[in-house]
Amino acid sequence: MKGSMNNQKINFKTEEELKETILQEKEKGTPDIEIGQKYGVTFRYIEKLITQSRGLNISSLNISKKIKTFYPKDFKEKQSTVWSFKQRGNWATHSGEYRGNWSPFIPRNVILKYSNPGELILDYFCGAGTTAVECKLLNRKCIAIDINDKAIELAKENVNFNTESRQLTFEKNHTQIYEPELLVGDARDLSSLKDNSVDLICAHPPYSNIIHYTDSKEGDLSFFDIDEFLKEMEKVAKESFRVLKPGRQCAILIGDTRRKKHIIPLGFKLINIYLEAGFKLRELVIKRQHNCKTTGFWYTNSIKYNFLLLAHEYLPIFEKPKSSALSVEERGLDYGLIFPTLGRPPQKRKLDGLETTTVWVLPEKDFEKHLNKNVIDRYSDGNGYSTIFLNSQSKFETKEISKKEQKNKKLLFIKSPFLNYNSKPNIKLYLQKMNETINQELATIISNGFIAIQTQDIRVNGYIEPLAKKIIDLFTQDDLWLKEIIMVTKEGENGLNLNNQNSKDHLKIAHQYLLIYKVIKGDK
């Protein structure tokens, strides 16, 4: 075995000797990048070695559990659908040692918004116990389950802290502290829990075959590829519906993944599974990865190869309906009033640079101009485009575009401005018109051209209608490849704090979507 650093050769008689040396380096706190350079091993190799030796996937072998504070400083509950946290959060025993665990700000927001002190919270993907720690801090009961016994051991260490009741009491009228119940178990089988017994579910499942959390432990969903992962999550969703009380919520954090340079909408696929299990969608939060701007090499390659770095995750907040009664049939605009209008959208004359991640935070002033310029410059490449407005009335200046201009174009840009001012659009008919428009225009787009669809979620009768998800469900044909799902929001929306809004009310929808499809003609 050989490794190198500064051209210095380090020889090992056996691989076991190499492994032992790397573990010693990890014990000393040597960064992974230095270990990789010194011993000629990959990050994946180091990750797998630690998982094999310790039984769980952690980034550091020695983490101080000394508590400096029990609460995040200047904490305010999120009031909009865009969440981003400048720091991950390190109060109490929270740390980032367990790879892929979520920021404690997420369960803290969910627990405060959707539960009361003394109620029971369930996390069936416990990991290092982030949710369990928050439950203890916030005077909630907690059952946290993980298939990995080593993860449960780590979680027990993390919830093992003592303090005076008055220091931990977040609610003035509720002083009791509850020790979380941490169990080895399987999220697909919650038979130890009774029907309608849980007040809130708050969980972060492993992403399909991206980060492995055990050493190939049977039933570990992190080893399942996308189709198998989703099939197993059907069992989780059904059990979730069974154990949750009617009228209560279930929050799940999930992200998308990329295969063959195209997006696999894993988040929307998982949302479908929970909806099929009987849940309604109360909220759809976008978790933004902070400080994900690209510069230099990455910026150049983002433009050259036309790709965006994944910088978003989804936090759907599901709700178990209080009754199974059929919902009132949609009422909205007449079909004839939703019509496509050809036009030219206003653009910024010049940008400092194109956006390079899947979350675009644009200035509130000239928001649409910045958005239009980014889409048109990146995806038309100067080879012609046309824009179609799906609208209920002509609120935009339009001009006729010649037949020549409409053919052999690189980009078709579809915008839906009427969604901004119509509180109850007819969704079924909107999707029909979207489908008709794309099918009619597809022949005018060159191969390897693009279709960009700007849309947004809307709220109908208290629940979210996820229009981006519905559009993606609609287009499954081989000649359209989903290249990107982009979240677009205005500067300041992430920090939105509506002082007159009660925490139990709905979140303000503060994001839109850009769905980018690549048009494939002939052989792929």
Side-chain angles (χ1 to χ4, degrees):
M1 284 287 156
K2 294 182 179 180
S4 65
M5 185 177 182
N6 298 329
N7 297 323
Q8 177 186 359
K9 298 292 183 181
I10 301 175
N11 298 301
F12 295 93
K13 294 180 180 178
T14 66
E15 185 167 3
E16 290 304 314
E17 191 177 322
L18 170 64
K19 290 179 177 180
E20 185 60 34
T21 302
I22 291 174
L23 289 174
Q24 290 172 4
E25 293 277 13
K26 289 295 294 183
E27 288 279 2
K28 291 190 295 184
T30 306
D32 288 347
I33 189 169
E34 288 186 23
I35 295 174
Q37 291 172 344
K38 189 173 183 179
Y39 300 106
V41 295
T42 64
F43 172 78
R44 274 287 198 183
Y45 183 92
I46 300 169
E47 185 180 41
K48 188 174 182 180
L49 173 59
I50 294 173
T51 306
Q52 288 175 337
S53 64
R54 295 300 177 97
L56 71 169
N57 194 337
I58 51 178
S59 59
S60 301
L61 302 186
N62 291 308
I63 292 287
S64 171
K65 299 297 181 183
K66 186 177 180 180
I67 296 175
K68 296 179 181 178
T69 177
F70 283 104
Y71 298 112
K73 186 179 179 181
D74 300 325
F75 173 80
K76 292 181 180 178
E77 282 187 52
K78 295 294 184 185
Q79 304 290 0
S80 80
T81 58
V82 179
W83 293 7
S84 178
F85 310 105
K86 292 182 179 180
Q87 285 81 36
R88 184 191 171 278
N90 59 358
W91 65 91
T93 54
H94 294 307
S95 75
E97 63 180 317
Y98 192 81
R99 294 192 196 274
N101 63 353
W102 59 2
S103 162
F105 281 109
I106 299 173
R108 173 165 284 251
N109 270 280
V110 171
I111 289 166
L112 289 173
K113 195 169 293 291
Y114 299 111
S115 71
N116 297 305
E119 292 187 334
L120 176 61
I121 317 298
L122 171 64
D123 180 355
Y124 38 59
F125 295 112
C126 173
T130 304
T131 303
V133 169
E134 282 304 293
C135 287
K136 182 172 179 177
L137 294 173
L138 297 173
N139 309 112
R140 270 72 167 174
K141 299 172 185 175
C142 177
I143 295 176
I145 298 169
D146 201 284
I147 201 166
N148 186 3
D149 58 325
K150 296 296 183 183
I152 292 297
E153 287 178 15
L154 178 60
K156 286 181 177 178
E157 290 180 25
N158 288 334
V159 300
N160 185 24
F161 53 81
N162 295 305
T163 188
E164 296 178 17
S165 296
R166 60 183 175 83
Q167 290 178 281
L168 272 181
T169 301
F170 194 81
E171 305 277 353
K172 292 182 179 179
N173 298 325
H174 198 98
T175 59
Q176 186 169 353
I177 298 168
Y178 302 95
E179 291 296 334
E181 186 177 357
L182 305 178
L183 305 169
V184 178
D186 193 329
R188 298 168 295 181
D189 179 9
L190 303 175
S191 54
S192 60
L193 296 175
K194 295 180 180 179
D195 295 1
N196 307 318
S197 62
V198 172
D199 295 293
L200 172 66
I201 296 172
C202 189
H204 183 201
Y207 291 5
S208 170
N209 207 11
I210 295 173
I211 296 178
H212 295 159
Y213 287 97
T214 66
D215 183 21
S216 303
K217 186 177 182 68
E218 184 179 353
D220 179 1
L221 297 186
S222 69
F223 281 87
F224 289 67
D225 211 354
I226 292 168
D227 290 343
E228 293 81 7
F229 171 77
L230 292 169
K231 186 175 181 181
E232 296 307 306
M233 285 301 296
E234 289 179 9
K235 302 172 185 176
V236 179
K238 288 176 182 177
E239 279 289 78
S240 301
F241 191 83
R242 180 183 67 80
V243 303
L244 191 65
K245 293 178 181 178
R248 304 309 296 265
Q249 290 75 36
C250 169
I252 303 291
L253 185 71
I254 190 72
D256 291 325
T257 188
R258 198 182 290 280
R259 298 285 170 89
K260 297 179 180 179
K261 300 179 181 178
H262 289 78
I263 287 291
I264 304 296
L266 185 61
F268 288 157
K269 288 176 182 287
L270 188 66
I271 288 173
N272 276 338
I273 284 172
Y274 275 76
L275 295 178
E276 288 165 4
F279 286 101
K280 296 280 191 179
L281 188 58
R282 181 185 172 98
E283 303 287 357
L284 183 47
V285 173
I286 301 303
K287 164 64 171 61
R288 174 194 170 203
Q289 183 176 335
H290 202 76
N291 292 333
C292 198
K293 289 287 184 182
T294 54
T295 57
F297 172 83
W298 291 111
Y299 180 85
T300 302
N301 280 277
S302 172
I303 306 302
K304 181 178 179 181
Y305 299 110
N306 205 2
F307 74 93
L308 301 174
L309 291 182
L310 289 175
H312 69 273
E313 294 173 290
Y314 307 90
L315 181 70
I317 311 291
F318 300 103
E319 186 168 286
K320 181 175 178 176
K322 290 184 178 180
S323 70
S324 57
L326 295 176
S327 60
V328 179
E329 187 176 349
E330 274 184 28
R331 290 179 298 172
L333 298 170
D334 293 332
Y335 181 70
L337 293 180
I338 303 179
F339 59 89
T341 304
L342 212 54
R344 285 293 190 193
Q347 301 180 59
K348 287 288 288 182
R349 293 182 63 182
K350 187 177 181 181
L351 297 174
D352 292 335
L354 295 180
E355 296 293 319
T356 56
T357 78
T358 57
V359 178
W360 296 1
V361 184
L362 305 177
E364 185 171 359
K365 182 182 178 182
D366 294 333
F367 172 78
E368 286 289 335
K369 289 183 179 180
H370 277 89
L371 185 153
N372 296 337
K373 183 69 170 172
N374 267 280
V375 171
I376 292 166
D377 280 11
R378 180 178 276 277
Y379 296 107
S380 74
D381 198 26
N383 291 324
Y385 72 92
S386 64
T387 305
I388 291 179
F389 297 92
L390 291 184
N391 225 326
S392 58
Q393 51 186 298
S394 185
K395 282 200 168 187
F396 295 84
E397 291 185 18
T398 63
K399 69 171 186 177
E400 291 299 319
I401 298 180
S402 68
K403 295 290 184 182
K404 181 180 179 181
E405 201 172 358
Q406 291 183 52
K407 292 181 178 179
N408 298 321
K409 60 198 171 202
K410 185 70 177 286
L411 170 68
L412 171 65
F413 190 7
I414 300 178
K415 299 168 72 71
S416 307
F418 82 100
L419 293 175
N420 290 318
Y421 55 84
N422 188 283
S423 60
K424 288 189 177 182
N426 190 315
I427 295 164
K428 182 179 179 181
L429 301 179
Y430 166 66
L431 294 173
Q432 285 180 6
K433 183 58 70 173
M434 179 72 71
N435 191 32
E436 286 177 13
T437 301
I438 288 178
N439 286 330
Q440 288 171 2
E441 294 289 321
L442 199 53
T444 70
I445 306 170
I446 63 174
S447 184
N448 295 319
F450 298 98
I451 298 174
I453 302 171
Q454 182 181 351
T455 191
Q456 62 191 68
D457 296 330
I458 59 172
R459 197 182 304 279
V460 178
N461 298 326
Y463 292 108
I464 291 294
E465 289 289 349
L467 295 189
K469 184 199 76 67
K470 290 175 179 286
I471 291 170
I472 288 174
D473 291 345
L474 192 65
F475 296 112
T476 58
Q477 57 263 52
D478 291 339
D479 52 0
L480 290 178
W481 273 16
L482 183 62
K483 182 174 177 60
E484 305 285 1
I485 301 175
I486 303 167
M487 311 296 156
V488 190
T489 187
K490 297 175 183 177
E491 289 177 352
E493 291 285 19
N494 169 60
L496 187 69
N497 183 36
L498 305 179
N499 294 324
N500 60 350
Q501 180 171 341
N502 186 285
S503 63
K504 299 296 182 183
D505 289 343
H506 293 294
L507 299 173
K508 177 188 175 184
I509 299 174
H511 65 279
Q512 298 182 30
Y513 303 87
L514 286 168
L515 308 179
I516 309 296
Y517 284 92
K518 189 173 185 179
V519 177
I520 307 295
K521 296 184 178 180
D523 296 333
K524 292 183 182 179

